[in-house]
Amino acid sequence: GQQVTIEGVVTLGSGITSTSWTDAYVQDSSGRGINIYQSGTVDPDLLRNNKVKITGTVDEYSGVTEIINYSLQVTGTNQSLPESLQLSTNSATDLIYEGTLIYIQGTIIDKYVAGPGTTISIDDGSSAVDIRAWDSANLNLTAYNIGDTVGVKGVMDIYQGNAQILLSYQEDINSVSIQTDSPQISNIIQSPLAPTPSDTTTI
């Protein structure tokens, strides 16, 4: 019910998760973001990378904090996105990060179509988190399958009390190689430490 004015950069634009109402996210230098909601129409000014100044009413819907009944002014275009918060897949399930742009890496352990969208579960070994891609985002996810290791950037949303990462732009998912901390020794050649193949030395 509080009236607030915020200014930040749009991290998830309107028209991506729904083409029937405004559902967007704005984040500022605090490192946290908030949902902007308006029923009935898609706000054309809430484009990713736009800097906006919004005055409206704080509301909460199914655990999602949002600003409704708002007025908006575009104060800049083509702005850099706020730095994404890099988390483990386990930490990304913490609801404290709701509305925040985050980055995670992990292995795809499940992928399925559910309603008008695709859900991908990824795990970096700490526990899994769901990635949600709505059909309205028009993403091509055919290259990403169970067993692949990926990096994903997206806004953390709450669905039925659980965290999910909203994958909304094609450039925000990529295949990655995970570096391990275990030392690797390969292609040992003869040297003063091992002058013949039968000799050994302790490293």
Side-chain angles (χ1 to χ4, degrees), residues 6 15 18 38-39 43 74 126 134 140 150 153 167 174:
I6 65 166
S18 171
Q38 178 175 272
S39 63
D43 193 327
V74 177
S126 61
W134 293 99
N140 184 353
V150 295
K153 180 167 63 176
L167 174 61
N174 293 284

Side-chain angles (χ1 to χ4, degrees), residues 5-203:
T5 297
I6 65 166
E7 188 168 16
V9 175
V10 178
T11 54
L12 195 164
S14 183
I16 298 295
T17 64
S18 171
T19 56
S20 301
W21 60 82
T22 293
D23 179 30
Y25 282 88
V26 173
Q27 183 166 319
D28 65 8
S29 58
S30 69
R32 294 291 182 270
I34 193 167
N35 183 256
I36 311 298
Y37 174 81
Q38 178 175 272
S39 63
T41 61
V42 174
D43 193 327
D45 289 328
L46 285 169
L47 295 176
R48 194 182 210 192
N49 298 106
N50 273 4
K51 188 174 183 181
V52 292
K53 186 174 184 179
I54 296 174
T55 298
T57 304
V58 178
D59 193 24
E60 185 174 335
Y61 179 77
S62 296
V64 176
T65 303
E66 57 190 16
I67 295 178
I68 62 173
N69 301 326
Y70 66 87
S71 60
L72 178 152
Q73 176 187 358
V74 177
T75 59
T77 59
N78 299 316
Q79 303 293 300
S80 296
L81 290 177
E83 189 74 23
S84 56
L85 185 62
Q86 187 160 347
L87 298 174
S88 68
T89 53
N90 177 59
S91 296
T93 63
D94 191 332
L95 301 186
I96 193 173
Y97 298 115
E98 187 255 319
T100 299
L101 185 65
I102 66 173
Y103 177 81
I104 53 176
Q105 290 184 350
T107 300
I108 298 175
I109 61 170
D110 202 3
K111 178 183 178 183
Y112 56 92
V113 173
T118 300
T119 297
I120 299 172
S121 296
I122 71 172
D123 191 347
D124 63 3
S126 61
S127 73
V129 65
D130 284 344
I131 311 300
R132 181 64 175 172
W134 293 99
D135 289 345
S136 50
N138 296 314
L139 304 183
N140 184 353
L141 301 175
T142 56
Y144 305 102
N145 298 292
I146 293 173
D148 293 342
T149 302
V150 295
V152 175
K153 180 167 63 176
V155 174
M156 198 269 263
D157 181 39
I158 298 175
Y159 177 69
Q160 296 184 344
N162 297 310
Q164 63 178 8
I165 310 304
L166 297 176
L167 174 61
S168 303
Y169 300 89
Q170 192 70 50
E171 65 267 25
D172 289 346
I173 182 170
N174 293 284
S175 298
V176 297
S177 297
I178 300 295
Q179 297 293 326
T180 66
D181 293 329
S182 302
Q184 305 277 330
I185 299 176
S186 62
N187 298 323
I188 300 298
I189 61 173
Q190 293 187 38
S191 72
L193 292 177
T196 67
S198 61
D199 290 341
T200 62
T201 188
T202 300
I203 299 175

